[in-house]
Amino acid sequence: MSEDAGKSTDSDQLLIHLEPAWERRNWCNWLGCSEAELEHAVAYVGHDPDNVRRFLRQAR
């Protein structure tokens, strides 16, 4: 069994997570959007930051 079974993977760290709240706020600051816009984008295109960034850019 892997020693890192309880740790997040590198690919997991590259995804947008809406919880905890501090992480959601950090993504909003980094992407320049509101929490509602971020939640809508993640629901529409998924948790990949590049896809969310493109979605937000096209929505403006």
Side-chain angles (χ1 to χ4, degrees):
M1 197 174 259
S2 173
E3 294 178 26
D4 297 331
K7 297 181 181 178
S8 62
T9 63
D10 287 340
S11 63
D12 189 40
Q13 293 176 357
L14 298 175
L15 296 176
I16 294 176
H17 297 285
L18 299 177
E19 293 297 329
W22 64 265
E23 189 166 350
R24 183 175 53 249
R25 285 191 305 270
N26 285 346
W27 280 111
C28 289
N29 288 335
W30 190 65
L31 293 169
C33 67
S34 69
E35 290 187 22
E37 290 172 320
L38 179 65
E39 290 173 10
H40 176 69
V42 168
Y44 196 81
V45 298
H47 295 269
D48 181 79
D50 291 330
N51 291 340
V52 170
R53 189 179 314 109
R54 277 192 290 273
F55 179 85
L56 291 170
R57 194 175 323 141
Q58 290 175 352
R60 292 184 177 159

